[in-house]
Amino acid sequence: MADIQEPSFRESVDIMVKRAMALMDLPPGLEEKIRVCNATYTVRFGVRLRGEIQTFTGYRSVHSEHMEPVKGGIRYSLGVHQDEVEALAALMTYKCALVEAPFGGSKGGLCINPNEYEEHELELITRRFAYELAKRDLIHPSQNVPAPDMGTGEREMAWIADQYKRMNTTDINSAACVTGKPINAGGIQGRTEATGRGVQYALQEFFRHPEDMKAAGLTGNLSGKRVVVQGLGNVGYHAAKFLQEEDGSKIIGIIEHDGALFDENGLDVEDVRAWIGERRGVTGYPKATHTTDGSSILEVDCDILIPAALEGVIHMGNAANVKAPLIIEAANGPVTAGADDILREKGCVIIPDMFANAGGVTVSYFEWVKNLSHIRFGRMQRRAEESRHQLVVDELERLSKDSGIGWELSPDFKERYLRGAGELELVRSGLDDTMRAAYQSMREVWHSRDDVTDLRTAAYLVAIGKVSASYRAKGL
Ligand code: NAD
């Protein structure tokens, strides 16, 4: 490995962006403007814990403000550093553009291992971090709206929302300062699982296109497909669970921080998740083969590989050994630019991160709109919809009876037809529509241009095209 020049995460994003820009006809200077990160704020703050002051380092990076607010998660991990946050902020810009969420790109991170702290300590740390960001408008409903990412979830988002509210007591839109909140703190149904759900919808859309399946040498549908997932956290767990329970896929490998589980006949995702919940890892799980070298399972024979943990896990050192014909990047940046070249050469199809994990920001967008409109989706229409459907059912039953035909609507049809869409149904519908439309915009470029041979370049072309149109409309 020593003599291999592996690009860093930020360099990888840069290489991929430049590759796409080389195929575009952007005005001089605009390329640079779009590519570079506008600003990164670094904060160091102290919190009194366990009788002493501990100092923490956090970042909030703003990549592009062509649309505001800017949007992007907050990550808690010891691996957080400025380059990583900037790479993630850049990806957010392109992701939002691709799925038409009206935001610029941002990202935040706190250099911390959350497992080392008690809940009340994490609350103190999170509130202090939120205070530092909010007082510089780096948390703000119309300027910068964070969301969960690795190591954070709805609990942290609720603390952030409350901290902002305490600092801005008269802001009627304060709940919109952060997304991914719990329902009882202004959240939206379906946000927790949104990124994993989006991964499922992305795969379902891929399998609707025989030409695309052919590119990966796959046939049929998701049923029975052998899947390996890396990271059974928020994103990986939900993606694996939905694929197993609803699409009939077989989860044959689960890779975690302490090794991997493998069973050719399929693992029970819920069971493994429960085990991890209790023991903080997969070690000792009795119903599958455990290997301590987790990354070796990235190389097993399978149909779909879902890296859903960290960046850079498929690199120039292992890419040639990866056998999956289809990789869907549920994590951000799991494939380095060098590995991307090797995999493309091998004919592996990669569904890129900026699309694959966009379900989170899509439903965050819905949550933000809900917070600003101060009303739950479906509240006004649901019963009206049900009444109209009831009219149709009554009329059909009357006609059947009066004409003597004697048709009967099945109870299942009636139940499903009569049920008006509530918030969860509407969120799923909006997410599915978004993922389908974004996939179609990428594949159209992929198949219509001879100089575009992969979905990632296609995704960048669509996204950068939208960002540049936005800058040009502003007169840049
Ligand atoms: P998470 O913290 O909920 O889960 C991460 C999982 O990965 C954990 O189970 C952890 O134990 C595991 N893990 C850590 N190190 C590992 C290693 N070396 N090998 C294998 N597994 C390891 O995080 P998440 O929210 O699911 O995020 C995962 C990825 O998805 C990140 O790249 C994140 O940026 C991306 N993402 C998340 C969201 C979201 O809504 N949460 C949205 C878009 C993208």
Side-chain angles (χ1 to χ4, degrees):
M1 278 285 298
D3 53 348
I4 297 178
Q5 281 299 307
E6 190 77 59
S8 72
F9 184 16
R10 204 179 67 162
E11 285 164 349
S12 280
V13 174
D14 244 23
I15 291 169
M16 291 163 179
V17 169
K18 281 181 181 163
R19 187 200 297 152
M21 282 178 166
L23 305 175
M24 300 177 82
D25 193 17
L26 294 174
L30 187 56
E31 277 189 14
E32 175 90 350
K33 174 73 204 85
I34 292 174
R35 203 172 48 75
V36 299
C37 200
N38 286 4
T40 302
Y41 171 68
T42 306
V43 59
R44 292 179 192 87
F45 57 90
V47 181
R48 181 170 287 280
L49 299 169
R50 305 172 198 178
E52 60 176 36
I53 293 176
Q54 290 192 27
T55 303
F56 297 90
T57 305
Y59 305 89
R60 187 80 184 156
S61 177
V62 175
H63 174 260
S64 174
E65 291 146 296
H66 67 288
M67 283 198 185
E68 282 177 313
V70 293
K71 190 99 190 65
I74 289 185
R75 173 176 288 198
Y76 282 5
S77 155
L78 283 178
V80 162
H81 54 85
Q82 182 168 343
D83 260 24
E84 180 190 67
V85 175
E86 290 188 357
L88 289 163
L91 276 178
M92 281 306 298
T93 295
Y94 306 120
K95 192 180 302 186
C96 291
L98 183 66
V99 297
E100 300 191 333
F103 303 124
S106 181
K107 202 80 180 191
L110 189 62
C111 198
I112 182 178
N113 177 359
N115 294 329
E116 285 176 6
Y117 295 91
E118 302 286 330
E119 183 166 353
H120 72 275
E121 294 175 325
L122 276 175
E123 179 174 352
L124 282 177
I125 299 163
T126 302
R127 283 186 180 277
R128 184 61 205 272
F129 187 31
Y131 170 81
E132 295 294 335
L133 296 182
K135 76 177 182 192
R136 291 168 180 87
D137 291 341
L138 289 166
I139 295 176
H140 191 285
S142 63
Q143 301 272 300
N144 197 324
V145 182
D149 192 74
M150 196 195 291
T152 60
E154 58 176 35
R155 181 185 64 175
E156 286 74 16
M157 301 306 116
W159 292 331
I160 292 173
D162 186 64
Q163 185 62 36
Y164 179 87
K165 175 84 183 147
R166 286 186 190 186
M167 295 165 70
N168 299 273
T169 48
T170 56
D171 184 349
I172 194 168
N173 292 322
S174 65
C177 76
V178 65
T179 57
K181 302 178 292 292
I183 295 290
N184 59 15
I188 192 168
Q189 302 273 356
R191 173 61 184 90
T192 306
E193 67 271 31
T195 311
R197 182 65 80 184
V199 171
Q200 177 200 26
Y201 288 162
L203 282 171
Q204 287 176 349
E205 182 59 16
F206 176 86
F207 278 90
R208 283 189 194 104
H209 300 280
E211 207 183 341
D212 302 4
M213 283 192 273
K214 199 170 154 215
L218 291 167
T219 53
N221 53 34
L222 282 164
S223 177
K225 290 285 178 294
R226 294 162 311 140
V227 178
V228 170
V229 184
Q230 184 187 40
L232 210 65
N234 178 297
V235 179
Y237 160 67
H238 286 109
K241 172 186 162 76
F242 298 143
L243 288 170
Q244 179 172 70
E245 289 176 1
E246 298 171 16
D247 297 287
S249 305
K250 217 162 41 158
I251 313 299
I252 61 167
I254 292 175
I255 309 168
E256 257 296 329
H257 65 94
D258 61 338
L261 301 176
F262 184 79
D263 185 348
E264 188 63 52
N265 298 316
L267 294 148
D268 180 339
V269 174
E270 277 303 334
D271 201 45
V272 177
R273 172 83 165 182
W275 181 272
I276 296 174
E278 277 171 26
R279 320 211 176 191
R280 295 204 162 173
V282 291
T283 308
Y285 183 74
K287 300 178 205 162
T289 313
H290 177 259
T291 163
T292 45
D293 178 14
S295 54
S296 65
I297 300 297
L298 290 169
E299 301 173 15
V300 299
D301 186 20
C302 64
D303 300 309
I304 305 170
L305 176 59
I306 311 182
L310 311 167
E311 54 261 20
V313 291
I314 301 174
H315 45 76
M316 291 163 81
N318 65 0
N321 304 330
V322 171
K323 293 177 195 65
L326 178 64
I327 298 177
I328 178 158
E329 295 182 327
N332 284 305
V335 175
T336 67
D340 191 68
D341 287 341
I342 297 169
L343 290 164
R344 273 186 297 134
E345 193 85 345
K346 280 184 11 152
C348 170
V349 173
I350 302 176
I351 302 180
D353 46 9
M354 94 176 70
F355 163 70
N357 66 38
V361 75
T362 301
V363 177
S364 274
Y365 167 39
F366 302 155
E367 181 178 333
W368 181 72
V369 171
K370 174 187 180 180
N371 294 152
L372 294 178
S373 56
H374 299 269
I375 188 164
R376 153 169 64 80
F377 288 106
R379 181 164 177 179
M380 304 296 276
Q381 312 90 316
R382 184 176 188 166
R383 302 301 168 195
E385 201 183 310
E386 288 181 357
S387 312
R388 273 201 310 278
H389 286 185
Q390 187 68 56
L391 279 177
V392 175
V393 166
D394 289 350
E395 189 62 6
L396 279 174
E397 288 183 335
R398 187 191 64 77
L399 284 171
S400 169
K401 191 162 161 245
D402 290 359
S403 64
I405 296 176
W407 282 341
E408 262 188 47
L409 299 172
S410 75
D412 178 54
F413 167 81
K414 263 172 58 173
E415 208 267 317
R416 290 202 295 163
Y417 183 67
L418 287 176
R419 197 173 51 224
E423 186 169 82
L424 186 59
E425 288 84 2
L426 292 170
V427 163
R428 285 190 187 159
S429 154
L431 176 59
D432 195 9
D433 184 58
T434 302
M435 297 308 287
R436 290 188 201 209
Y439 185 82
Q440 284 160 23
S441 67
M442 286 189 308
R443 78 178 295 274
E444 199 182 304
V445 174
W446 182 27
H447 293 303
S448 65
R449 288 182 59 154
D450 292 339
D451 53 359
V452 177
T453 55
D454 65 316
L455 277 168
R456 190 190 312 279
T457 309
Y460 272 116
L461 284 173
V462 175
I464 296 168
K466 288 188 176 161
V467 177
S468 77
S470 174
Y471 272 124
R472 283 196 226 192
K474 285 181 169 182
L476 245 172

